[in-house]
Amino acid sequence: MSGVLLFSAPGFSAETGGAGPAVESANAEPFDPFAGEYEEELLMVYDPIEPFNRAMFWFNDKLYFYLLKPIARGFRLVPEPARVSVDNFFNNVATPVRFANSLLQFRFGDATRELGRFVVNSTWGVAGLFDPARTQLGWEMKKEDTGQTLGYFGVPSGFYLVLPVFGPSTPRDAVGRVGDFFLDPWNYVFDESWHKTAVKMTDRLNVLSLDDDTYESIKAEQLDPYLFIRDGYMQRREAMIIE
Amino acid sequence: MFSKWMTAACLLLCLAPAAAFSAEAGPLAQIEQTVEQVIDTLKDDAIRGEQQRQRLTELIKARFDFQAMSQWVLGPYWKKANVDEQETFMELFSELLEASYLGRIESYTDEEVRFVSEKINGPRAEVETLIVTRSADIPISYKLVDRQGEWLVYDVIVEKVSLVRNYRGTFTEIARKEGMDGLFEQMRSKIEDLKSRSKEA
């Protein structure tokens, strides 16, 4: 766990003694100096193909509500601990993706931890069904992927891109997906591509079944879910590259 | 992707009034105690339904700095707005947050909350927490500002995504396209919508 937080960087290094922006405060109390913490960086996401993206967003939305979600709900007939184990299993199998990308970014501590997690969870964790590395030893899984590695080496994310089925992405992260595909052991387990697809689908649907309807909440609560998800995705990816 | 916003939302609201605090209590201690108070409220079978909601609402209003949040969320449009507009926005924004998250907080089960660290820098602080669920640990940090010894929250960062920045993306975009009045209108109808939903539930 690195304690570095992306958004603390500008704010916390700034001096705090200066007077804040002269805001006509709606309250009577004077406004504290935030030293313009967020002000300089009006985060504008580069989204030149917004109409296309919105169409894809719409398509994924329908796919979610009419196909994926009903199936994921069916998964919920299986008790949750079992589904958590399935999730652990898939995460364990995907270790090479995280391990290789940690190495590529010279994050040897992370790579070692991923390896340790794999050894512990494959044995003590009964072939990866349990995650004693996290629950007993406190070794957190850290998501690393090829898209982040590209970002680490300075490849810009490019514009925002919504892929059909896969959802939010950028050209960089889409290329990263291809890299992840080749690092994914499932690739080498089956000869038939539909087998791989079936396994990946099971993984995704299982994850969806464990999720507390996050997407529905965003859809219900946000003024513009498309923008909310877009900005959230971009924020998160940038932060993941830094850590 | 945005896994476990729900739990996060719980925490977003798990903040109670700091009446009990002495001025020396640091931000972490203040948040820790308030989170515990809220969890107690949620677990207390004697307080249910409307009564519980009211209590939670009071707690939230006391612990959040809605003015600072509103200012960050609107960014450049906050400065352009007149005092009336600023007040209207603050009002609507706090209602919107309340309508969004109040329903979810009640779905809190038994997740453990760990208070990891606090960083204090003059009038601002950041407190890192971790929510331990069965399938993952979710990092959530709070940014707080010191108001005469009371540490008030002005941003919540869930899995590295700042809520304020995220809301800002949406709000500034709408304000740019449709003006402040258009934004208010959308907020009002969304609040109505959410309120009618929660009544049905």
Side-chain angles (χ1 to χ4, degrees):
Chain A
M1 280 300 289
S2 96
V4 182
L5 265 158
L6 173 71
F7 306 115
S8 65
F12 279 74
S13 56
E15 44 74 47
T16 51
V23 176
E24 283 277 75
S25 162
N27 278 359
E29 64 171 351
F31 196 72
D32 264 9
F34 277 99
E37 187 175 2
Y38 293 128
E39 281 196 294
E40 319 315 329
E41 21 142 3
L42 218 172
L43 188 89
M44 289 297 280
V45 173
Y46 186 49
D47 190 7
I49 55 167
E50 189 176 332
F52 168 85
N53 282 339
R54 279 191 187 267
M56 278 301 145
F57 183 83
W58 179 88
F59 171 82
N60 289 338
D61 181 75
K62 295 288 170 271
L63 186 73
Y64 174 91
F65 278 106
Y66 292 108
L67 184 68
L68 303 181
K69 195 68 204 182
I71 300 172
R73 283 202 190 286
F75 274 46
R76 288 184 186 173
L77 295 168
V78 179
E80 193 183 24
R83 285 180 288 121
V84 169
S85 276
V86 171
D87 192 37
N88 289 338
F89 174 77
F90 279 117
N91 282 335
N92 196 50
V93 172
T95 298
V97 179
R98 296 188 299 273
F99 177 73
N101 282 298
S102 296
L103 279 185
L104 289 169
Q105 296 173 47
F106 312 112
R107 301 184 194 274
F108 299 118
D110 289 347
T112 311
R113 199 183 52 242
E114 278 301 330
L115 204 57
R117 279 178 49 81
F118 182 76
V119 170
V120 168
N121 288 343
S122 302
T123 51
W124 185 16
V126 194
L129 291 175
F130 299 94
D131 191 355
R134 174 175 76 93
T135 55
Q136 307 299 319
L137 304 172
W139 300 349
E140 289 288 334
M141 180 174 82
K142 188 157 162 253
K143 290 206 168 86
E144 289 292 350
D145 53 53
T146 315
Q148 289 181 58
T149 301
L150 293 171
Y152 174 86
F153 283 104
V155 178
S157 64
F159 51 91
Y160 182 62
L161 171 68
V162 182
L163 299 170
V165 186
F166 296 115
S169 191
T170 58
R172 180 187 66 204
D173 290 342
V175 170
R177 274 187 176 280
V178 178
D180 294 345
F181 178 83
F182 286 108
L183 289 167
D184 183 3
W186 290 113
N187 238 340
Y188 309 100
V189 174
F190 301 115
D191 295 334
E192 300 260 9
S193 67
W194 72 267
H195 286 159
K196 284 175 221 166
T197 312
V199 167
K200 293 311 260 179
M201 282 300 284
T202 308
D203 181 13
R204 297 305 309 153
L205 287 163
N206 182 59
V207 168
L208 207 55
S209 79
L210 287 166
D211 173 81
D212 293 316
D213 301 344
T214 305
Y215 180 63
E216 272 106 312
S217 306
I218 292 174
K219 277 274 291 189
E221 290 160 8
Q222 296 306 326
L223 297 179
D224 188 340
Y226 169 83
L227 291 178
F228 198 81
I229 289 174
R230 180 188 78 184
D231 296 359
Y233 177 80
M234 294 306 242
Q235 260 197 71
R236 186 131 184 263
R237 291 300 291 179
E238 289 310 308
M240 284 168 97
I241 287 165
I242 288 171
E243 284 197 0
Chain B
M1 206 183 83
F2 287 96
S3 64
K4 304 293 176 194
W5 272 65
M6 210 136 138
T7 329
C10 284
L11 267 249
L12 174 65
L13 297 183
C14 283
L15 299 152
F21 293 115
S22 63
E24 301 92 80
L28 188 143
Q30 288 195 16
I31 283 230
E32 183 164 17
Q33 184 155 354
T34 51
V35 167
E36 279 167 10
Q37 280 179 323
V38 166
I39 290 174
D40 288 347
T41 309
L42 290 167
K43 282 183 176 167
D44 187 351
D45 290 337
I47 311 172
R48 275 284 163 261
E50 195 52 41
Q51 197 190 358
Q52 189 187 58
R53 282 179 176 230
Q54 265 179 350
R55 174 153 165 72
L56 293 171
T57 302
E58 281 166 27
L59 309 185
I60 297 150
K61 292 232 152 134
R63 177 47 69 189
F64 270 67
D65 192 328
F66 280 113
Q67 192 197 322
M69 282 181 108
S70 301
Q71 191 183 344
W72 298 132
V73 164
L74 272 185
Y77 294 93
W78 177 262
K79 283 188 181 153
K80 286 182 198 160
N82 60 38
V83 174
D84 279 354
E85 283 173 330
Q86 289 180 355
E87 279 191 12
T88 308
F89 181 80
M90 271 167 56
E91 184 67 31
L92 288 172
F93 185 55
S94 58
E95 272 191 58
L96 186 63
L97 284 180
E98 193 187 315
S100 298
Y101 296 114
L102 213 53
R104 293 206 225 165
I105 193 173
E106 287 154 2
S107 63
Y108 168 85
T109 45
D110 53 356
E111 287 86 3
E112 183 201 344
V113 185
R114 285 190 204 145
F115 293 83
V116 182
S117 66
E118 69 179 350
K119 277 184 280 187
I120 302 177
N121 183 316
R124 294 202 302 269
E126 183 156 357
V127 174
E128 289 186 38
T129 71
L130 204 61
I131 304 198
V132 183
T133 69
R134 258 172 299 198
S135 51
D137 296 359
I138 303 150
I140 295 184
S141 33
Y142 299 92
K143 289 189 162 193
L144 307 98
V145 58
D146 185 358
R147 303 283 195 203
Q148 292 102 38
E150 291 271 308
W151 289 95
L152 300 184
V153 175
Y154 68 92
D155 196 4
V156 182
I157 294 152
V158 182
E159 288 194 325
K160 308 187 187 103
V161 176
S162 146
L163 271 186
V164 163
R165 282 166 59 125
N166 229 22
Y167 272 105
R168 178 161 57 177
T170 308
F171 284 20
T172 51
E173 186 91 343
I174 294 172
R176 188 173 60 86
K177 281 183 184 153
E178 306 182 25
M180 288 299 271
D181 289 342
L183 177 62
F184 292 159
E185 201 173 309
Q186 285 201 26
M187 287 170 85
R188 283 196 184 98
S189 69
K190 181 54 83 176
I191 291 162
E192 281 306 304
D193 186 30
L194 286 166
K195 278 185 175 164
S196 63
R197 265 172 208 259
S198 69
K199 284 201 179 75
E200 284 163 25

